[in-house]
Amino acid sequence: MSISQALGDQKEVKLPQGTIRYRERGSGEPIVFVHGLLVNGDLWRKVVPALSKDFRCIAPDLPLGSHEQPLDEGTDLSPYAVAKLIADFIASLDLERVTLVGNDTGGAFCQLVVTRHPERIGRLVLTPCDAYENFPPTLFKWLLAPAKSPAGARVMLQPMRLTFMRHGPLGFGWLSKHGLDRDVTAAWVGPALANAGVRRDLAKVLRGIHPRYTLEAAERLGEFDRPVLIVWASEKDFFPLEHAERLAETFPDARLERVDDSYTFVSEDQPERLASLISEFARQPSKVPAP
């Protein structure tokens, strides 16, 4: 359940895959925010208010386990299909020259978007995320393995009803250095606990995740010739700084910004710094994608 009002009014769009709910705030050049597994658009609630003064900020709740509206039962949610869904969502709003921002699993999907569906993307921002052989990181590979079936997801998530479990090492505890709001984390796990369709979607996504997708994308990242900003936590966590450096070297027009005092969820630990970097970056000229 989405609880933050900072992202603007909730809306929804009907795609061939099903209904996607999203929130939108501000006007101007569009910024689309892509979250990872078992969180929703509220991940960006501390960043959007500052950016919405100058940009049209759009935060969809993607079918990654914390969405309230399950997709149609037969929908494909393999990595390539999720990337296509993100591209379809952008197209459904008729957005052009999008600044696409990704975190965690969502950053991997963003890499698939810019290598397979780059037409409407003007810029890319990657915060700490899956890349190369790290899809998913080793710990999460074993931690989330039971959730590859809807029944397993239900069992795995039961302990997350308790705040100390959600905020511990088996929950969100190692993703944010400075801690998370208990109501936000409760809202993140709530849909999968309550809705069998949401668990079905989550299981589909988890069954599809495999390093071959990010490794294949890595071979084509050099074809994306538009500006790229990589904002990475300096401290060691699930996503090594070496991957950020490799990404910065691979994209033709990229720069790397290191952020101190943060873990994976830079939008939680250093939201002002992240908003400032995105704002400066999104104001710079970008090549207009070819029609």
Side-chain angles (χ1 to χ4, degrees), residues 89-129:
F89 171 78
I90 290 171
S92 74
L93 300 183
D94 197 26
L95 304 178
E96 301 284 353
R97 297 183 298 277
V98 169
T99 297
L100 188 65
V101 183
N103 175 258
D104 196 14
T105 334
F109 293 134
C110 287
Q111 292 167 56
L112 299 183
V113 171
V114 302
T115 54
R116 298 178 70 86
H117 310 284
E119 297 80 14
R120 294 176 179 266
I121 310 302
R123 303 175 188 82
L124 174 66
V125 180
L126 293 177
T127 63
C129 65

Side-chain angles (χ1 to χ4, degrees), residues 217-236:
E219 295 178 358
R220 298 183 57 187
L221 294 178
E223 300 172 14
F224 186 74
D225 61 352
R226 295 150 214 169
V228 177
L229 173 65
I230 299 169
V231 182
W232 220 264
S234 299
E235 300 190 35
K236 184 176 179 63

Side-chain angles (χ1 to χ4, degrees), residues 30-242:
I31 302 176
V32 174
F33 295 88
V34 179
H35 60 77
L37 286 168
L38 286 171
V39 302
N40 60 22
D42 283 339
L43 180 71
W44 310 103
R45 72 197 183 283
K46 297 180 181 180
V47 176
V48 163
L51 289 171
S52 64
K53 297 173 184 176
D54 300 295
F55 301 96
R56 181 182 176 188
C57 297
I58 300 167
D61 293 336
L62 297 168
L64 305 182
S66 295
H67 55 301
E68 295 179 289
Q69 178 66 47
L71 296 190
D72 297 341
E73 186 171 357
T75 299
D76 180 5
L77 287 174
S78 63
Y80 287 153
V82 174
K84 178 65 162 54
L85 182 145
I86 294 169
D88 288 349
F89 171 78
I90 290 171
S92 74
L93 300 183
D94 197 26
L95 304 178
E96 301 284 353
R97 297 183 298 277
V98 169
T99 297
L100 188 65
V101 183
N103 175 258
D104 196 14
T105 334
F109 293 134
C110 287
Q111 292 167 56
L112 299 183
V113 171
V114 302
T115 54
R116 298 178 70 86
H117 310 284
E119 297 80 14
R120 294 176 179 266
I121 310 302
R123 303 175 188 82
L124 174 66
V125 180
L126 293 177
T127 63
C129 65
D130 301 65
Y132 303 108
E133 65 279 357
N134 210 31
F135 186 45
T138 301
L139 175 63
F140 290 107
K141 182 184 301 182
W142 303 112
L143 185 63
L144 295 172
K148 290 184 178 181
S149 73
R154 184 175 185 178
V155 172
M156 181 201 77
L157 288 166
Q158 290 306 312
M160 299 301 138
R161 296 180 184 274
L162 304 173
T163 301
F164 81 91
M165 288 297 294
R166 292 197 307 277
H167 291 211
L170 298 182
F172 301 104
W174 286 349
L175 295 170
S176 173
K177 184 175 181 179
H178 298 291
L180 297 161
D181 186 293
R182 61 183 293 175
D183 292 333
V184 170
T185 59
W188 284 343
V189 301
L193 283 167
N195 191 312
V198 171
R199 293 193 295 274
R200 180 193 67 222
D201 289 349
L202 173 62
K204 286 184 184 180
V205 173
L206 288 172
R207 286 198 298 270
I209 289 176
H210 191 279
R212 67 174 176 269
Y213 294 100
T214 39
L215 289 169
E216 287 173 5
E219 295 178 358
R220 298 183 57 187
L221 294 178
E223 300 172 14
F224 186 74
D225 61 352
R226 295 150 214 169
V228 177
L229 173 65
I230 299 169
V231 182
W232 220 264
S234 299
E235 300 190 35
K236 184 176 179 63
D237 68 353
F238 302 107
F239 304 110
L241 185 59
E242 291 81 1

